[in-house]
Amino acid sequence: HGRHIRADQQDVQIVITTYGLLPRDMEHLASIEWATVVLDEAQMVKNPNTKAARAVRQLRADQKIALTGTPVENRLSELWAILDAVNPGILGGLERFRKNFASPIERGSNPDAAVRLRRITAPFVLRRTKADKRLLPELPDKLEQIAHAKLTKEQATMSQGVVDQLLVDAEQAKGMRRRGL
């Protein structure tokens, strides 16, 4: 946690914080010139407007590395946000990225855009899949078992009551609250 270190402590080798604490400790952490900043679960900065994403961009470091299993969950702008957090400007500004890459790729109107994006990002994106056994030979295959369990009459009644209430609440709500419900 950043509050417990001082910039003049030469014996400090590593500082671990959370995306939640980073903005709170920003004044101190931004004053340090870091050798390396590693963003684990980097999908946490996929929205460039969050406090955490803005804080990450303020950190000064010789290198920044993003680790994520899900660089793109909903739209390509998430990939832009993660790459821009560790290598600012690599894909240009967000609006330019949307115009040149995201929109044409997501609409399928310009297959050339995907090739261009891959060519730009390839040197900076290291990718592996869990199927690649050379990387993790001891990792067992994923096993899935589906087990169905019947609800008791009381559980079914309670569950249906919750669902019914959610539908009523969603019908009366507006905007993002409605979508969430």
Side-chain angles (χ1 to χ4, degrees):
H1 186 282
R3 288 187 239 271
H4 298 115
I5 64 162
R6 293 190 325 267
D8 62 346
Q9 287 179 313
Q10 296 301 312
D11 59 335
V12 173
Q13 297 294 312
I14 188 169
V15 174
I16 299 173
T17 190
T18 66
Y19 289 104
L21 291 175
L22 183 60
R24 287 194 238 162
D25 295 334
M26 206 55 228
E27 184 179 329
H28 179 70
L29 296 174
S31 70
I32 299 169
E33 182 70 39
W34 301 97
T36 304
V37 169
V38 179
L39 306 176
D40 193 20
E41 302 296 341
Q43 68 274 10
M44 296 298 290
V45 299
K46 71 181 184 180
N47 177 345
N49 300 315
T50 63
K51 287 180 183 177
R54 289 195 307 264
V56 163
R57 283 173 170 74
Q58 290 177 37
L59 293 174
R60 295 174 301 129
D62 294 336
Q63 63 182 348
K64 290 182 183 177
I65 300 168
L67 306 172
T68 180
T70 53
V72 178
E73 289 179 291
N74 298 309
R75 43 188 72 81
L76 275 174
S77 59
E78 296 169 356
L79 176 66
W80 175 88
I82 293 170
L83 285 173
D84 196 69
V86 295
N87 200 341
I90 186 172
L91 295 172
L94 181 55
E95 290 310 312
R96 185 174 144 217
F97 175 78
R98 283 186 178 136
K99 180 181 169 228
N100 293 338
F101 296 106
S103 293
I105 293 169
E106 289 168 356
R107 278 193 248 117
S109 61
N110 185 347
D112 213 35
V115 172
R116 288 193 334 267
L117 179 60
R118 200 171 293 114
R119 191 170 46 239
I120 293 168
T121 59
F124 303 97
V125 176
L126 301 176
R127 187 168 181 264
R128 72 156 179 92
T129 63
K130 289 181 176 153
D132 190 346
K133 294 297 185 190
R134 294 170 303 146
L135 298 170
L136 295 170
E138 73 284 352
L139 189 65
D141 289 334
K142 180 178 176 181
L143 298 175
E144 290 185 27
Q145 285 185 316
I146 298 174
H148 296 279
K150 290 206 177 242
L151 297 177
T152 65
K153 188 171 177 112
E154 182 184 15
Q155 290 170 328
T157 302
M158 291 173 68
S159 178
Q160 190 61 54
V162 170
V163 170
D164 292 345
Q165 186 59 53
L166 275 173
L167 291 173
V168 168
D169 293 348
E171 219 171 273
Q172 295 171 353
K174 302 246 186 285
M176 289 302 285
R177 176 158 170 70
R178 179 184 177 105
R179 288 183 64 192
L181 288 169

